[in-house]
């Protein structure tokens, strides 16, 4: 009996703790910060929309590993002898082109009436695989015999991995913004625009967080441990998808 009750208690903790924070603690903190009662009530209404807390957690975390790796990897290639001119071209024009291509593919897949959550799980898995390949290349670059000379296979592989991650990142971003729009559609019509703006703000915050701290993490943890952390952070959203609320599934996601 105890073995059955422990998972049930864990489930109540996972579901009840966020609700307790948003219904009890958050209004007090907002009021203490000087917000009017109207704005405090509006915030509670936004967070009370089905799936909002889960979606907020997802958009805050889904880019952490990707942003950390994409902010560090080009700098490490520069340290290992790749020219600033060539790297700048691939990491600007090439990266933007691949990101646009990934976003376009994501839109095409979604317009083909693909189920959003299964599609999002698949592209997150592809992104994790791409980051694992990039991390393997980085570990190999740390060996004494690794060279990024022009015309070598290794040089082509690292540039390809750079573009691949931006392509997969664009694909994941399109699916995630679609998820945010679907969640906002569950809100009352008068709150939908504000609700989407809240999710978009959290999404941007999640993007900036690891990009800002990546350098400090690399200096303190070392490259191997740092990129292993990025891999773990990229795997987390895949597991998090399994916790999607039933209300979102009923909405046709």
């Amino acid at each position: 009996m105890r073995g059955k009750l422990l998972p049930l208690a864990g489930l109540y903790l996972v579901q009840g703790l966020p609700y307790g924070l948003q219904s009890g603690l958050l209004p007090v903190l907002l009021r203490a910060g000087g917000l009017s009662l109207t704005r405090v009530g509006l915030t509670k209404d936004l967070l009370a929309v089905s799936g909002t807390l889960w979606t907020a957690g997802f958009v805050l975390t889904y880019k952490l590993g990707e942003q950390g790796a994409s902010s560090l990897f080009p700098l490490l290639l520069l340290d290992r002898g790749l020219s600033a001119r060539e790297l700048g071209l691939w990491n600007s024009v090439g990266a933007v082109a691949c990101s646009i291509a990934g976003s376009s593919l994501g839109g095409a897949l979604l317009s083909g009436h693909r189920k959003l959550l299964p599609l999002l799980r698949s592209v997150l898995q592809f992104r994790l695989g791409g980051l694992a390949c990039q991390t393997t290349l980085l570990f190999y670059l740390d060996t004494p015999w690794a060279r990024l000379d022009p015309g070598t296979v290794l040089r082509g592989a690292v540039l390809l991995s750079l573009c691949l991650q931006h392509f997969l990142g664009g694909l994941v971003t399109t699916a995630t913004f679609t998820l945010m729009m679907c969640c906002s559609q569950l809100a009352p019509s008068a709150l939908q625009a504000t609700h989407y703006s809240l999710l978009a703000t959290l999404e941007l915050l999640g993007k900036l967080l690891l990009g800002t701290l990546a350098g400090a993490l690399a200096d303190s943890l070392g490259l191997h441990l740092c990129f292993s952390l990025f891999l773990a952070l990229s795997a987390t959203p895949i597991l998090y998808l399994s916790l999607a609320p039933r209300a979102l599934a009923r909405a046709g996601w």
Side-chain angles (χ1 to χ4, degrees), residues 49-252:
V49 175
S50 296
T52 298
L53 291 176
W54 181 88
T55 307
F58 182 83
V59 300
L60 273 171
T61 57
Y62 86 106
K63 279 279 187 180
L64 291 179
E66 177 191 332
Q67 286 297 115
S70 63
S71 62
L72 277 183
F73 192 67
L75 302 179
L76 299 175
L77 296 182
L78 187 64
D79 291 344
R80 280 154 181 77
L82 210 62
S83 70
R85 183 177 180 179
E86 183 180 9
L87 185 58
L89 177 64
W90 283 97
N91 199 42
S92 57
V93 178
V96 170
C98 290
S99 181
I100 292 173
S103 297
S104 301
L105 178 60
L109 291 173
L110 289 169
S111 63
H113 306 291
R114 298 257 181 153
K115 288 286 187 179
L116 178 55
L117 285 185
L119 175 63
L120 187 54
R121 183 184 300 276
S122 297
V123 296
L124 286 172
Q125 290 170 342
F126 279 120
R127 187 187 67 172
L128 179 62
L131 183 57
C133 293
Q134 189 176 85
T135 303
T136 302
L137 288 171
L138 177 68
F139 288 1
Y140 180 74
L141 285 172
D142 254 357
T143 59
W145 54 83
R147 295 289 184 272
L148 285 175
D149 299 327
T152 58
V153 174
L154 182 58
R155 190 187 190 95
V158 295
L159 293 176
L160 178 62
S161 74
L162 192 68
C163 292
L164 178 62
Q165 282 303 101
H166 283 285
F167 174 81
L168 294 172
L171 189 57
V172 170
T173 300
T174 298
T176 300
F177 271 80
T178 305
L179 182 146
M180 291 159 53
M181 288 187 286
C182 290
C183 183
S184 295
Q185 288 174 357
L186 298 177
S189 57
L191 294 178
Q192 287 180 0
T194 306
H195 187 274
Y196 183 79
S197 297
L198 171 65
L199 293 178
T201 302
L202 294 176
E203 196 268 349
L204 180 60
L205 179 63
K207 284 181 177 178
L208 294 175
L209 184 60
L210 249 292
T212 305
L213 299 176
L217 287 174
D219 288 338
S220 59
L221 299 178
L223 288 180
H224 288 203
L225 189 56
C226 185
F227 270 77
S228 298
L229 173 62
F230 294 156
L231 277 174
L233 290 173
S234 293
T236 301
I238 302 173
L239 302 175
Y240 190 70
L241 281 177
S242 62
L243 300 176
R246 290 183 180 179
L248 304 185
R250 287 198 299 268

